[in-house]
Amino acid sequence: AELDLWSSFSIDFALVGVDRCGTSSLRVGLDKHPEVGFSLYEKGIPTEDYYLGYHQAHRLVPTKKQVNDFNRRFEAHRPKLVGYSLPSLYYVSIAKVAIRFMEIPVVAIVCNPINRVERRFFAERWCHANLSEAIRTTDALDLKSLRAGDCSPTIAELLTPRGAALLEQWEVVPHVRSLLQMFGSRVFLAHQDELKYDTEHFWQRLAKHVGTVDAFPAEHLHRERTNARPGHRTDLCRNASLLKKIQSKLEPEYRGLE
């Protein structure tokens, strides 16, 4: 097969994660800027694109066909700036190398470690009363383990050896450090709290970073959180001592994100 360059992909910036920290809000918010569009939409809403994250995850160099297949999405209309979004991209090594060769701006968002861990536990380990409905509403991932009944009725599982392995698997700080080392000033590293307390200034800075010429029109600023879920997820918030114990396990994550 004839080979091509990563830079041949029609991508102008990449939203690389972190999953469960507000990547959907960033994607939907940026899409409101008149100059910005994304590489994949579902029912008119920009969505996650797995093309680089999984389809290309084991290729050091893309083929010309793969590049053409991707770029063909924009034959009818190409926005001025095309964003590529995959919340788990921050830990996919080959995909990060691909983005590096594209020499494009990178956007990542982090959040409170305990909030993110609870969201992941709820999606990947929690025993949902109606698993099919939880999968439909994206509260749960469609995992073989959950369908087989391998789940937990309490987040206290994170204090067990199995939970320790999960916390290690869900670490963010090493990957964030890797992003900063690999991309340097090309990374816009945001914190989820900025979406709540610094709305207009935040979106203007973000739009400028990804390459927009015009400022973000005030009427298009995204002020709502996407995928926000009201109420309790797990038993964490109802147990203060359990909360403190799990937070202590996450101390390296808190220190690393300061």
Side-chain angles (χ1 to χ4, degrees):
E2 187 178 359
L3 301 181
D4 208 329
L5 302 174
W6 289 114
S7 57
S8 297
F9 279 92
S10 188
I11 298 173
D12 298 299
F13 69 90
L15 174 53
V16 301
V18 169
D19 53 299
R20 309 284 170 182
C21 276
T23 50
S24 295
S25 293
L26 290 188
R27 187 170 59 242
V28 171
L30 277 171
D31 190 58
K32 292 179 181 293
H33 194 291
E35 298 174 31
V36 175
F38 278 85
S39 59
L40 192 63
Y41 286 80
E42 184 175 308
K43 296 180 180 178
I45 299 173
T47 190
E48 301 171 2
D49 192 339
Y50 292 90
Y51 200 87
L52 294 180
Y54 297 97
H55 298 173
Q56 306 290 323
H58 304 293
R59 295 198 63 91
L60 291 174
V61 182
T63 66
K64 185 171 289 291
K65 181 182 184 304
Q66 289 166 335
V67 171
N68 290 340
D69 286 347
F70 181 88
N71 291 347
R72 199 171 290 121
R73 301 177 182 184
F74 314 109
E75 284 182 341
H77 170 71
R78 188 193 191 282
K80 182 173 182 179
L81 296 172
V82 173
Y84 180 89
S85 175
L86 183 60
S88 58
L89 198 66
Y90 67 96
Y91 64 75
V92 183
S93 298
I94 294 296
K96 286 191 294 185
V97 170
I99 297 295
R100 184 178 184 181
F101 280 118
M102 293 179 193
E103 299 185 347
I104 57 178
V106 172
V107 179
I109 185 169
V110 296
C111 57
N112 187 323
I114 191 68
N115 292 345
R116 178 176 180 271
V117 162
E118 186 189 27
R119 291 187 188 105
R120 289 209 62 166
F121 191 90
F122 189 62
E124 300 175 35
R125 291 294 303 143
W126 186 253
C127 292
H128 294 269
N130 186 333
L131 180 59
S132 297
E133 178 63 13
I135 291 171
R136 187 190 69 80
T137 60
T138 70
D139 278 346
L141 297 182
D142 191 359
L143 302 176
K144 290 182 180 179
S145 56
L146 291 180
R147 289 192 177 276
D150 180 9
C151 61
S152 175
T154 173
I155 199 171
E157 183 184 59
L158 292 178
L159 301 178
T160 68
R162 180 173 187 172
L166 287 174
L167 291 177
E168 182 177 1
Q169 177 185 331
W170 295 341
E171 284 180 347
V172 166
V173 168
H175 299 292
V176 171
R177 287 174 178 161
S178 173
L179 284 176
L180 293 174
Q181 291 171 356
M182 182 175 287
F183 299 106
S185 61
R186 284 164 52 196
V187 178
F188 182 101
L189 183 60
H191 193 285
Q192 191 178 45
D193 286 347
E194 294 180 86
L195 293 173
K196 306 174 187 176
Y197 307 120
D198 192 22
T199 304
E200 182 168 0
H201 182 58
F202 172 79
W203 286 112
Q204 299 296 2
R205 288 189 300 116
L206 179 56
K208 183 177 180 180
H209 180 81
V210 302
T212 63
V213 173
D214 296 329
F216 224 121
E219 66 273 17
H220 292 168
L221 290 175
H222 187 62
R223 301 181 186 275
E224 299 83 26
R225 290 175 59 194
T226 305
N227 291 343
R229 184 185 187 280
H232 295 289
R233 289 184 175 85
T234 69
D235 53 333
L236 182 65
C237 292
R238 294 187 288 268
N239 190 328
S241 62
L242 176 58
L243 174 62
K244 289 181 179 179
K245 288 177 181 177
I246 296 177
Q247 283 179 318
S248 69
K249 297 284 186 182
L250 294 170
E251 186 60 30
E253 289 283 284
Y254 279 100
R255 289 200 309 270
L257 293 177
E258 287 178 350

